[in-house]
Amino acid sequence: MDKPGPAHTRTRTRTRTRELRESVIIAAPPEEVYASISDVKRMPLWSPECVKVLLLPRRSESRPSFIGFNRNGLRHWFTLCQVTTADAPGEFAFRVSVAGLPIAIWGFRLRHHVPPHTAAATGSTHVTQYWHDLRQGPFGAVADLLGRAVAGTSPAARVRVNRAGMITTLHRLKHSVEDAAGGTTPQ
């Protein structure tokens, strides 16, 4: 005898992209690339959204903090950022918040580049920029509303803006570091 099964109902679930990664190869050693990335005052040179960085006075034993001033068209806003990872020359990351609400973790992972069909690393660096969305739960909904009002982006639009921004940032970083090092782009 067949038992009645559960009622078949379809619930529509929204999938939300909470992580992004983009990568580039830079013709410079990881130490040089890390030195550029960890100098957060240089971020406006590369980022299409960040226009200024203000370092905050550092308390003893605390991780460095800074304010990022950002722009999207005519919209301007600022974020409070705190360095969470400073592992030279392998990784640099910072946590972003607005009005005390967690927004995201932004970071860079670096490793020596080993070209295909070779056994040794070159003087190049494989750089991966990553973004982790921290807007979750009830406070996440408030952060989403702030994002719409202040930056003019919905969560889905924010993913598109961030991906495009990461590609631009890495491209500009690559050219900046390679020009400073007098390097050439690896083939």
Side-chain angles (χ1 to χ4, degrees), residues 63-143:
R63 297 259 183 181
S65 296
F66 58 96
I67 297 173
F69 295 89
N70 305 291
R71 178 190 71 233
N72 181 6
L74 297 175
R75 297 172 185 267
H76 295 266
W77 71 97
F78 66 91
T79 58
L80 178 61
C81 306
Q82 183 168 27
V83 173
T84 58
T85 306
D87 183 18
E91 185 172 5
F92 183 81
F94 52 93
R95 181 183 180 99
V96 177
S97 62
V98 172
L101 299 171
I103 302 297
I105 299 283
W106 283 95
F108 297 86
R109 288 191 184 100
L110 295 82
R111 62 179 166 78
H112 283 283
H113 173 62
V114 179
H117 312 295
T118 62
T122 65
S124 297
T125 304
H126 182 268
V127 179
T128 300
Q129 184 178 19
Y130 60 89
W131 168 78
H132 296 285
D133 187 352
L134 299 177
R135 298 167 295 164
Q136 298 181 26
F139 292 116
V142 173

Side-chain angles (χ1 to χ4, degrees), residues 16 22 29 38 41 52 77-78 88 94-95 121 149 151-152 178 184:
R16 178 167 170 166
E22 292 292 335
S38 63
K41 289 173 67 173
K52 183 177 180 180
W77 71 97
F78 66 91
F94 52 93
R95 181 183 180 99
E178 288 177 355
T184 58

